[in-house]
Amino acid sequence: MLILVNLKTYPCDPVAVAEAVRDVDEETDARVAVAPQAAHIERVAATGVETWAQHVDPIDYGSNTGHTLAESVAEAGAVGTLINHSEQRLKLADIDGSVRAAERAGLETIVCANNPAQIGASAALGPDAVAVEPPELIGTGTPVSQADPDVVEDAVDAASRVDDDVSVLCGAGISTGDDVVSAGDLGAEGVLLASGVAKADDPKAALEDLVDPL
Ligand code: G3P
């Protein structure tokens, strides 16, 4: 089970959360990783934690002011990247371009999508994984795996009809170990989560609760 903690632009200490993620990853069979802001990737990766980028642009080296180059996040220490997160939506052609850019840089890819139909389209682009996140549940503390189990099962079906090799994750409102277990029971191979850890008073305790039942 992959548990990817997205720090978004929350005002947390990225290195402190990274150290907690690293320590909990070492204590469990689950794969626990963190996705800080691009500006924090190098400091976060230096802790030894598995580090992901939140986004890469569909570009190559060149005149692309203000864009995020896949090679640069890889060089900073990221091993993978989210693409098309609900808060960083891309056009289909740009999702494709970002997946290709990430592959070129050797980054693992998770393409996010709102619903099962978009999951099918995203799986067709050949990422390593797709993640279904109903936007209306993001940041609510109401877990997708319990509030809308059908969307997770339908996303698993949609991806497997297109490409059985693409893993399916889910996210939105996940903050407890029970939520993670429910996600797994619905066929998800991992979860994306943010506020449950990034906004917790004690991120390490929140992470320990997440992996406890696994
Ligand atoms: O990328 C994960 C995120 O969008 C879910 O956020 O705060 O509902 O766990 P949250």
Side-chain angles (χ1 to χ4, degrees):
M1 197 76 170
L2 170 63
I3 298 175
L4 180 55
V5 181
N6 176 4
L7 301 186
K8 305 194 174 185
T9 56
Y10 284 129
C12 57
D13 177 343
V15 171
V17 177
E19 288 170 345
V21 171
R22 176 200 62 200
D23 292 349
V24 171
D25 176 64
E26 283 166 6
E27 293 163 11
T28 175
D29 289 338
R31 176 183 172 197
V32 195
V34 66
Q37 296 176 53
H40 298 155
I41 288 174
E42 196 154 355
R43 280 196 297 141
V44 162
T47 67
V49 73
E50 179 178 327
T51 306
W52 283 58
Q54 296 179 6
H55 167 78
V56 296
D57 281 302
I59 55 160
D60 206 331
Y61 288 97
S63 40
N64 301 293
T65 305
H67 288 69
T68 302
L69 179 68
E71 279 79 357
S72 297
V73 302
E75 198 178 321
V79 300
T81 186
L82 297 175
I83 292 168
N84 196 45
H85 189 275
S86 194
E87 293 145 15
Q88 181 61 285
R89 281 278 177 245
L90 301 174
K91 295 177 185 163
L92 187 63
D94 291 336
I95 299 172
D96 190 19
S98 292
V99 171
R100 303 286 83 81
E103 282 176 348
R104 192 184 65 221
L107 295 168
E108 199 172 328
T109 49
I110 298 174
V111 175
C112 303
N114 283 4
N115 56 45
Q118 292 179 23
I119 284 287
S122 303
L125 301 175
D128 296 297
V130 289
V132 65
E133 290 202 312
E136 65 278 10
L137 293 176
I138 291 177
T140 61
T142 301
V144 59
S145 49
Q146 290 176 22
D148 200 352
D150 289 353
V151 85
V152 181
E153 287 182 322
D154 291 350
V156 172
D157 285 348
S160 70
R161 276 199 299 275
V162 174
D163 184 346
D164 239 356
D165 290 337
V166 175
S167 308
V168 179
L169 289 72
C170 66
I174 289 175
S175 65
T176 70
D178 286 348
D179 302 341
V180 179
V181 169
S182 307
D185 290 345
L186 296 167
E189 293 178 52
V191 296
L192 300 184
L193 63 103
S195 46
V197 171
K199 293 170 90 172
D201 291 336
D202 183 344
K204 186 160 186 213
L207 285 158
E208 282 168 338
D209 177 53
L210 278 161
V211 302
D212 185 54
L214 299 179

